[in-house]
Amino acid sequence: QEHGFDSGEEWIETVDALSTFGIKGDAFFDVMRSLCIILQLGNLTFEPEVVYGEERSSISSIEALEKLSTLIGVPESEIETAMTKRFMMTRGEEFTISLKDTEARDGCDALAKEIYARVFDYLVRNINECTEPKGSAGGFYGTISLLDIFGFESFQVNRFEQLCINYANERLQQKYVVDNFRAIKVEYEEEGINVFDFSLIDNSDVMDLLEGKMGLMVQLNEECVRPNGGDESFVYKLKVVCSDSNRLIQDNLHRPYEFGIRHYAAPIKYDARKFIERNLDKIPNDLLKCACHSANPLIRQEFQRLSDSLKEGQSTGLKKRSAATKHLVATKFRSQLTSLMSIIEESRTRYIRCVKPNKVMRPRTLDHAHTVSQLESAGLVTAIVISRESFPNRLSYDVIMERFKFLTYKYADCHLDTADIKQDSEILLSHLLAGITADTHMGRVRPFACGKTKVYFRVGALERIETIRQEYYAERAIQLQTWMRSLQARIHYLIMKRGMILLESQIRCYLVRRSYKMKLKCALIVQCFIRRVLAKLEYLRRRNNHAATVIQTRWRVIKPRREFRAAHLASIRIQSIARMTICKKIYAAKKKERDAEHAMESRMTMMQQNFDDASTVGGGGTVFSVDEGLLEEVETMFEFLRKEIVVLRKKNTKLKRELAESEAEKREMFNHASSTEHAFALSKIRSEQLTRNNAQLTENANRFKKEISKLKTELKTQQYGHELQLREMRHEFDMALERRDAEVKTLETKLQTTTAMHKREVQLITDDAERTREENYAEIMRLREEITRTQDSHQDYLSKLMGVLETTQANRSTSPHEEEMIRKKDSQILELKTELAKLQKSTGTTPQDNKTRKDTIRSMKYIVKKNREHRKVRV
């Protein structure tokens, strides 16, 4: 673990992520072996050797070479040959050139870089294929992209990489200018407003220098495809062709391989050495063939594809410049950048400037100089200056009159009575912004400008007008607030007054009630005391008269009981007599009725007998005569029978009514029985359903009980297993602690040993340093003596040279044809005399002075040689 990250977990996540994109199994192992090959190439070491006077190189790390051979699947001898030798074909003959150790190291690094690039392209290609939406070939999908690039780079020595990075930043800066300022410039020109100094942010001339028809990229590509092209010739051509560009820095102090460019961020000086080599970026054919023979399928396929593309380029011929520069780094970079810019042009762009607060990567620390330098390099300071000079706010004339016309009440001389809305708006704004000016490159100007259709405001101008407008509204709002607060305060006062009155009444009620309760309590206390006294007296009296009270109680109980018994017996006797009397009356009535019926029956019998007798006499032929008494009896009998019939009819009617009522009750009972049967049937069905539900619930309950018992068993098993694992982990943790303690002790021992060895080595180094210091001091003294002798000899030589020059100048003729040349020579001789005088006066011994003296002596020798040739010609 390091910095809170677990390498094991990171490795697992990486493997899972690669498998998600289909890189697993053999493909995953091929990628990992390719990365191991890249690392192993960095472990190779080369040492120089001289064979028959020829400087060569060989691989000194044999073990690293063996591991590399195992990983790449190529024999060691073939790898070493490809690394340390180059095979060239000239006129049908093959030559072998041995490489120096630096050249072999560069070739090894180029191979590692190419393998890394191919592996990277392979991963990107697979990820794009896996993440590409289905059917994207025929449809269009929007994207949200994040472009993260380096900022401008300016180092002590700037190479080809810094040029490419700064070129990309110039393109993005141009896009930023177009997005933010060019449209504003066009709008200002259409409105007839003076445009700000656009040259402060416009980098079109830099882009012309970099990618114009005769720009830097074109010159670099032509120099790469030209035979025997070099870095110095590229710089020379660039300075000659682009001499009219004010962005190209041509300094006389520049070396032949140096040039400078005034970027929008800052002037940067570039070192053009190895520009041609890095632009070609061509891997040697020997290493390319070696990689094509690799046993790793990924490396073999990718390098075979690279080899095929190179062969196609050679087969088509490189006569045309476009075909010749197709595989150059600058061309590829420019085409990729152009494609990127075309994508950006079709999208809505947002810019995020990242600023590094300090160089030491420390939190809560701000390096102001470093931060300001980044802001200047990013062009933000210039953008802010332009923004201050521009018009960030704009409003149409209709909106201005609608929003600010009412403010004319503040100015007595502000009359908006013209028919031109533009003139009215200008008069209104002149009064509102009176006394306010803005600083620009043209001096102090008005804070607003009137265009054809809109009014443009500088920074702070519109805010000032809006502030005046808000102040007006604030004053009116304060008045409204005052009225509303007064009304609310009065309402609140009335509510409080009503509440106070209610509160006072409640308090008075409470006080009176409390006084009443207190008086009541006192009265109850007095009553309780009096009752207690009376009760005590009664108690004493009753205790004294207890026996009499008991006797009275007994007697009072016995006497009412006797009276109750006598009354009870009397009531029973009266009831029996009353019942007997009633029964006698009923008996007499029934007996009378029975006697009457019996008499009637006897009379009926007698009457029947009389009729029989009368019918018998009539049958013998006698005259039938009816006795009046008999008729009366018959009538009496009929009357009696009539009454009986009436009574029987009443009884019959009563019985019929009772029968009808019984039948109605029977029907009701039948209906009730039917409804009861139906209810019973429904209850039976419901009972059966409940029985089935109960059986199902019982079954579910039994199943749940079984599952619960099973889960309990599993829980116990898991708990037991977890306890075992916990014990094992505790045991492993204890063992790990013991091992860690042992390692700590071992490290402490090693640390002590290392400290002792370090002290001994420091002592040895100190002794060596002392000896080296003494030797250096002796060498310095010797060199000083040699320099002194050299200076003396130089002084003698210079004195002789001065004599020769004076003699030469004295022996010259003054012919008209050579006067101009003589004057030039005289000026050169005077310059030489001046330099000689300076050299005679100088006493320094620095290497720079020695170099200057050597250059001066070389130039003087050249002049003396020319003079001698000139004299020979004259002779």
Side-chain angles (χ1 to χ4, degrees):
Q1 294 186 358
E2 184 178 359
H3 302 295
F5 295 98
D6 192 345
S7 300
E9 294 181 358
E10 294 289 337
W11 168 254
I12 294 173
E13 291 179 0
T14 303
V15 174
D16 294 339
L18 290 174
S19 63
T20 303
F21 295 107
I23 303 174
K24 53 187 176 180
D26 295 337
F28 173 75
F29 286 112
D30 292 340
V31 173
M32 292 298 109
R33 288 193 187 97
S34 301
L35 297 179
C36 293
I37 290 170
I38 295 171
L39 298 175
Q40 200 62 37
L41 286 171
N43 294 334
L44 292 180
T45 57
F46 299 88
E47 61 180 9
E49 60 180 11
V50 179
V51 179
Y52 300 110
E54 182 183 3
E55 188 175 356
R56 301 180 180 180
S57 62
S58 63
I59 298 176
S60 58
S61 54
I62 305 301
E63 184 178 356
L65 180 60
E66 293 176 355
K67 293 181 180 179
L68 178 61
S69 175
T70 303
L71 289 171
I72 201 170
V74 177
E76 301 175 14
S77 59
E78 186 175 347
I79 295 175
E80 186 173 6
T81 302
M83 290 286 184
T84 58
K85 295 181 181 180
R86 291 290 177 269
F87 295 93
M88 299 182 64
M89 185 70 68
T90 304
R91 295 180 181 179
E93 296 181 2
E94 185 175 358
F95 296 92
T96 302
I97 300 175
S98 299
L99 301 179
K100 299 179 182 180
D101 57 338
T102 55
E103 296 173 347
R105 179 74 265 174
D106 292 340
C108 181
D109 294 341
L111 179 60
K113 183 174 69 173
E114 190 65 30
I115 293 174
Y116 182 84
R118 295 295 167 178
V119 172
F120 182 81
D121 292 340
Y122 169 76
L123 293 175
V124 171
R125 188 165 57 250
N126 280 338
I127 292 173
N128 289 338
E129 290 175 358
C130 292
T131 57
E132 184 181 6
K134 295 181 179 180
S136 61
F140 174 76
Y141 293 90
T143 60
I144 299 175
S145 303
L146 178 65
L147 175 62
D148 184 12
I149 64 168
F150 289 101
F152 265 88
E153 291 188 354
S154 178
F155 303 125
Q156 192 70 25
V157 178
N158 299 286
R159 302 289 186 182
F160 180 71
E161 293 78 7
Q162 282 71 43
L163 177 64
C164 293
I165 292 172
N166 294 341
Y167 169 51
N169 279 277
E170 288 286 355
R171 286 292 296 270
L172 292 173
Q173 174 66 14
Q174 187 182 32
K175 177 67 172 59
Y176 174 75
V177 170
V178 171
D179 289 345
N180 294 277
F181 297 103
R182 196 176 295 276
I184 298 174
K185 178 186 176 184
V186 173
E187 182 182 355
Y188 289 173
E189 291 176 349
E190 292 177 353
E191 289 287 336
I193 298 174
N194 293 330
V195 184
F196 53 84
D197 189 4
F198 194 70
S199 62
L200 295 175
I201 56 173
D202 190 13
N203 63 338
S204 300
D205 47 359
V206 182
M207 298 308 301
D208 292 338
L209 174 62
L210 291 174
E211 61 180 11
K213 291 183 179 181
M214 300 298 290
L216 186 146
M217 293 296 177
V218 175
Q219 297 297 328
L220 180 60
N221 291 339
E222 288 182 353
E223 196 66 23
C224 289
V225 299
R226 188 177 66 84
N228 300 324
D231 299 325
E232 294 183 2
S233 62
F234 156 68
V235 175
Y236 176 76
K237 288 183 179 180
L238 176 65
K239 290 184 178 180
V240 171
V241 174
C242 302
S243 60
D244 56 344
S245 176
N246 60 349
R247 292 289 186 168
L248 181 65
I249 302 175
Q250 299 189 30
D251 195 346
N252 294 330
L253 298 178
H254 281 172
R255 292 181 174 85
Y257 51 80
E258 291 180 346
F259 68 94
I261 297 176
R262 291 186 181 89
H263 291 284
Y264 81 88
I268 299 177
K269 184 176 69 173
Y270 293 97
D271 188 343
R273 286 178 292 184
K274 293 188 177 181
F275 263 41
I276 305 300
E277 178 183 349
R278 294 182 181 179
N279 189 29
L280 289 172
D281 194 25
K282 181 180 179 182
I283 185 172
N285 292 329
D286 302 323
L287 294 177
L288 182 60
K289 293 178 181 178
C290 180
C292 291
H293 296 160
S294 173
N296 191 327
L298 175 59
I299 296 177
R300 184 175 64 253
Q301 294 172 4
E302 292 294 330
F303 277 84
Q304 189 64 43
R305 189 181 293 110
L306 176 61
S307 177
D308 295 340
S309 64
L310 293 177
K311 289 179 181 178
E312 290 178 1
Q314 293 175 359
S315 62
T316 56
L318 297 179
K319 294 183 179 180
K320 293 184 178 179
R321 186 175 64 180
S322 59
T325 60
K326 180 179 179 181
H327 298 285
L328 298 180
V329 173
T331 304
K332 293 179 182 178
F333 186 79
R334 183 177 177 181
S335 62
Q336 292 175 1
L337 186 59
T338 304
S339 176
L340 174 63
M341 296 306 296
S342 64
I343 295 173
I344 294 176
E345 289 290 343
E346 297 175 356
S347 62
R348 298 178 62 186
T349 311
R350 298 292 182 270
Y351 297 90
I352 301 173
R353 301 288 188 179
C354 299
V355 179
K356 186 170 65 174
N358 57 73
K359 298 180 180 179
V360 295
M361 307 297 289
R362 185 180 302 164
R364 301 180 183 276
T365 303
L366 180 63
D367 187 350
H368 294 279
H370 182 60
T371 305
V372 171
S373 175
Q374 292 181 77
L375 294 175
E376 291 177 350
S377 299
L380 294 180
V381 177
T382 307
I384 292 171
V385 172
I386 296 299
S387 299
R388 290 174 62 88
E389 291 195 4
S390 62
F391 302 93
N393 302 312
R394 66 206 59 154
L395 291 175
S396 63
Y397 292 110
D398 296 335
V399 175
I400 289 175
M401 297 303 293
E402 180 182 354
R403 289 180 65 83
F404 307 115
K405 186 176 181 180
F406 66 91
L407 295 176
T408 54
Y409 79 96
K410 299 180 65 175
Y411 308 99
D413 57 344
C414 184
H415 303 290
L416 304 179
D417 51 1
T418 63
D420 189 2
I421 189 173
K422 179 179 179 180
Q423 187 175 356
D424 291 342
S425 300
E426 188 172 358
I427 294 171
L428 175 61
L429 294 176
S430 299
H431 284 81
L432 292 175
L433 298 175
I436 301 175
T437 57
D439 293 329
T440 65
H441 66 286
M442 296 182 292
R444 306 289 294 184
V445 296
R446 292 195 306 177
F448 68 94
C450 295
K452 296 179 181 179
T453 60
K454 298 178 183 178
V455 177
Y456 293 83
F457 297 92
R458 297 190 184 273
V459 177
L462 183 60
E463 288 78 0
R464 172 63 178 169
I465 303 175
E466 290 290 346
T467 302
I468 297 173
R469 181 171 176 268
Q470 292 297 328
E471 289 176 354
Y472 173 81
Y473 283 130
E475 292 175 358
R476 301 303 181 269
I478 290 172
Q479 293 178 0
L480 293 175
Q481 289 174 357
T482 303
W483 297 337
M484 289 302 298
R485 286 170 183 160
S486 174
L487 179 60
Q488 290 178 355
R490 180 167 181 79
I491 294 172
H492 182 68
Y493 167 73
L494 294 175
I495 293 173
M496 291 293 291
K497 182 179 179 181
R498 191 178 298 109
M500 287 299 297
I501 294 171
L502 182 62
L503 182 61
E504 288 175 355
S505 63
Q506 293 290 336
I507 291 173
R508 291 190 186 98
C509 177
Y510 170 73
L511 293 175
V512 173
R513 185 175 180 82
R514 188 176 65 176
S515 176
Y516 166 73
K517 287 183 177 180
M518 188 176 295
K519 292 178 181 179
L520 181 62
K521 184 177 180 180
C522 295
L524 290 175
I525 292 172
V526 173
Q527 289 177 359
C528 289
F529 179 76
I530 293 172
R531 289 192 186 97
R532 185 177 70 81
V533 173
L534 295 175
K536 187 175 182 180
L537 296 174
E538 182 66 20
Y539 168 72
L540 294 174
R541 186 183 64 77
R542 287 184 179 183
R543 190 178 65 178
N544 294 330
N545 301 325
H546 180 67
T549 303
V550 172
I551 294 170
Q552 290 176 359
T553 301
R554 294 293 183 182
W555 174 251
R556 288 171 182 158
V557 170
I558 293 170
K559 184 178 179 181
R561 184 177 291 176
R562 288 177 180 176
E563 292 176 355
F564 170 74
R565 286 179 180 177
H568 182 65
L569 293 174
S571 63
I572 292 171
R573 183 65 178 170
I574 291 169
Q575 288 175 357
S576 63
I577 294 170
R579 290 190 185 101
M580 182 180 68
T581 303
I582 293 169
C583 290
K584 283 181 178 181
K585 289 180 179 180
I586 293 170
Y587 174 74
K590 288 183 177 183
K591 184 178 180 182
K592 183 178 179 181
E593 185 178 357
R594 181 63 182 169
D595 291 340
E597 290 178 356
H598 184 68
M600 187 59 66
E601 289 177 357
S602 62
R603 290 177 67 182
M604 288 291 293
T605 305
M606 291 176 63
M607 189 180 294
Q608 185 68 31
Q609 187 175 0
N610 291 328
F611 275 117
D612 291 336
D613 292 340
S615 63
T616 302
V617 176
T622 61
V623 179
F624 180 73
S625 59
V626 181
D627 190 6
E628 291 293 336
L630 182 60
L631 290 173
E632 291 177 359
E633 288 180 1
V634 171
E635 289 178 357
T636 303
M637 289 297 296
F638 281 153
E639 186 67 25
F640 177 75
L641 291 172
R642 193 180 298 112
K643 292 180 180 179
E644 286 294 326
I645 288 170
V646 171
V647 173
L648 290 173
R649 283 180 178 174
K650 289 181 180 179
K651 289 181 179 181
N652 190 14
T653 302
K654 184 177 180 181
L655 288 174
K656 285 181 179 180
R657 191 184 299 112
E658 290 178 355
L659 180 61
E661 291 175 357
S662 299
E663 288 179 355
E665 290 178 358
K666 183 180 179 181
R667 284 194 299 271
E668 290 178 358
M669 289 179 67
F670 180 76
N671 294 330
H672 179 69
S674 299
S675 60
T676 305
E677 287 178 358
H678 290 303
F680 179 72
L682 293 173
S683 300
K684 187 176 180 181
I685 294 170
R686 182 62 178 170
S687 176
E688 291 176 355
Q689 291 178 354
L690 292 174
T691 304
R692 288 195 297 272
N693 293 334
N694 190 15
Q696 186 176 0
L697 292 173
T698 305
E699 184 179 356
N700 293 334
N702 294 329
R703 188 175 69 256
F704 289 153
K705 287 180 180 179
K706 292 179 181 179
E707 291 179 357
I708 290 169
S709 61
K710 184 178 179 180
L711 290 174
K712 287 182 178 179
T713 306
E714 291 179 357
L715 182 61
K716 289 180 180 179
T717 306
Q718 290 181 0
Q719 287 179 351
Y720 180 71
H722 290 166
E723 290 177 356
L724 290 177
Q725 291 180 0
L726 185 60
R727 285 197 293 271
E728 290 177 359
M729 291 174 65
R730 286 179 179 174
H731 179 68
E732 291 178 358
F733 182 71
D734 295 336
M735 294 296 292
L737 285 178
E738 292 177 358
R739 289 195 300 271
R740 186 61 58 82
D741 294 337
E743 290 177 359
V744 169
K745 292 180 180 178
T746 305
L747 291 174
E748 288 178 353
T749 306
K750 289 182 179 179
L751 180 62
Q752 294 175 358
T753 306
T754 306
T755 304
M757 293 175 65
H758 178 67
K759 289 181 179 179
R760 288 196 296 272
E761 290 177 357
V762 168
Q763 186 63 33
L764 292 174
I765 292 170
T766 305
D767 297 339
D768 293 339
E770 291 292 336
R771 288 195 299 271
T772 306
R773 189 181 297 109
E774 294 175 357
E775 293 175 357
N776 292 337
Y777 182 74
E779 184 69 20
I780 289 169
M781 295 302 294
R782 184 179 62 78
L783 291 173
R784 284 182 179 177
E785 293 176 357
E786 290 180 358
I787 290 169
T788 303
R789 289 195 298 271
T790 305
Q791 288 178 351
D792 295 338
S793 63
H794 286 173
Q795 291 290 339
D796 296 338
Y797 180 76
L798 290 174
S799 62
K800 293 177 181 179
L801 183 61
M802 287 295 296
V804 172
L805 290 174
E806 291 175 357
T807 304
T808 304
Q809 188 174 5
N811 294 331
R812 284 180 184 168
S813 62
T814 58
S815 61
H817 179 70
E818 295 178 352
E819 287 181 357
E820 185 67 24
M821 186 179 291
I822 290 172
R823 282 196 297 272
K824 291 182 180 179
K825 298 298 180 179
D826 290 338
S827 62
Q828 293 178 358
I829 290 170
L830 290 175
E831 290 178 359
L832 287 175
K833 286 182 178 180
T834 305
E835 291 180 0
L836 289 174
K838 291 181 180 179
L839 287 173
Q840 290 175 357
K841 292 179 181 180
S842 63
T843 56
T845 59
T846 60
Q848 186 67 26
D849 296 336
N850 294 332
K851 185 177 180 181
T852 305
R853 292 191 186 95
K854 290 180 181 180
D855 294 338
T856 305
I857 292 169
R858 192 180 299 111
S859 62
M860 287 189 294
K861 287 181 179 179
Y862 176 77
I863 294 171
V864 171
K865 182 179 179 181
K866 289 292 183 181
N867 290 332
R868 288 176 181 175
E869 292 177 354
H870 182 66
R871 285 198 302 272
K872 288 180 181 179
V873 171
R874 289 179 60 190
V875 173

